[in-house]
Amino acid sequence: MPIDAVIFDWGGTLTAWHDIDFHAESLALAQAVVDADHDVEVSQRLLHAAGSTIWGRSRDHQQSATVADLFTEAGLAHDPELLKAYYDFWEPHTYTDPVVRPTWEALRADGIKVGVLSNTIWPRAWHEHFFERDGVLELLDGAVYTSEIPWTKPSPRAFAAAMDAVGVTDPARCVYVGDRLFDDVWGARNAGLKAVHLPHSAIPPEQVGHTEGTPDAVVQSVAELPALVRNGL
Ligand SMILES: [Mg+2]
């Protein structure tokens, strides 16, 4: 069966996997807290716990969240203008794999739509800035950032939103590529898409969901996708 679209996960798929220091992350987030009647270490602990809560909700109930929701969950007021430390903390982990541009160009040359579906609390503008910096934004036919929709992967609704964004309708003619066996592989196949696994990420045990899926194919690099799709997976 011909393939109409290849949709990619972001972290650990289009970027290299990095282990993240979540203590340092929540300390950076705490720089944006305003009107707190306690010190930054208390804010850090509240934000760290809130992060576990919102990502637990994503894992167990496929409920999405935004950066603002994270502060609300922590019971803290914040000023979005003060998120620079948080943004700067993450920035080194956002670089697009250099093979992505030629891979997306090859897929598009074959008439295949290219999309992104990312479980993220960040605004679209941040993601688009990273893609633009790395020269790949113009190659995207559509992208869904779950901060903009109610659901996260592995909800079939998240995959349907991504297909809608790239302008395709038949999940059986779509391939999803990701580094997580629950969110990406199980989720995509459960939604009727084909699933390709990129197995280079060290997923923390608490981030693994109820089922690990079996991929239709395993690749060592996203650069393998154009040939894989041409050969019908
Ligand atoms: Mg990922």
Side-chain angles (χ1 to χ4, degrees):
M1 186 179 292
I3 296 298
D4 298 330
V6 180
I7 302 172
F8 294 82
D9 167 54
W10 182 68
T13 299
L14 299 178
T15 66
W17 174 266
H18 292 173
D19 293 316
I20 298 301
D21 177 348
F22 290 107
H23 180 275
E25 185 211 32
S26 47
L27 201 54
L29 272 168
Q31 310 306 312
V33 171
V34 292
D35 301 332
D37 51 8
H38 48 63
D39 61 24
V40 72
E41 283 74 21
V42 176
S43 293
Q44 179 275 318
R45 282 200 295 277
L46 290 167
L47 287 161
H48 194 164
S52 299
T53 300
I54 65 163
W55 286 111
R57 261 185 222 136
S58 170
R59 179 196 60 219
D60 298 334
H61 306 291
Q62 290 77 60
Q63 185 180 327
S64 71
T66 63
V67 173
D69 293 333
L70 183 58
F71 286 92
T72 301
E73 181 65 34
L76 297 166
H78 85 292
D79 178 351
E81 298 295 319
L82 300 179
L83 287 169
K84 186 176 185 310
Y86 173 63
Y87 184 94
D88 290 347
F89 169 83
W90 271 103
E91 205 265 350
H93 310 299
T94 63
Y95 283 83
T96 309
D97 185 332
V99 303
V100 169
R101 185 176 170 88
T103 299
W104 286 3
E105 286 172 334
L107 288 169
R108 290 167 63 96
D110 288 345
I112 292 162
K113 305 258 189 160
V114 173
V116 165
L117 168 60
S118 175
N119 278 3
T120 178
I121 64 172
W122 299 344
R124 169 176 293 267
W126 291 18
H127 287 280
E128 291 189 343
H129 171 76
F130 299 140
F131 283 145
E132 188 164 37
R133 174 200 61 200
D134 299 338
V136 295
L137 181 62
E138 65 191 16
L139 300 174
L140 266 179
D141 291 292
V144 168
Y145 304 104
T146 58
S147 55
E148 295 186 331
I149 60 172
W151 323 286
T152 60
K153 295 178 289 183
S155 170
R157 291 175 169 188
F159 289 95
M163 288 176 50
D164 212 33
V166 299
V168 297
T169 54
D170 184 353
R173 294 168 60 126
C174 287
V175 175
Y176 190 76
V177 188
D179 63 324
R180 292 174 185 255
L181 288 171
F182 174 56
D183 315 44
D184 300 329
V185 170
W186 182 83
R189 295 200 69 186
N190 183 54
L193 291 77
K194 293 180 176 22
V196 173
H197 188 216
L198 188 67
H200 300 317
S201 302
I203 310 298
E206 70 276 13
Q207 295 180 16
V208 176
H210 61 67
T211 309
E212 296 205 314
T214 304
D216 294 281
V218 178
V219 294
Q220 299 306 315
S221 164
V222 293
E224 295 172 45
L225 260 297
L228 197 67
V229 168
R230 259 178 239 133
N231 295 329
L233 284 182

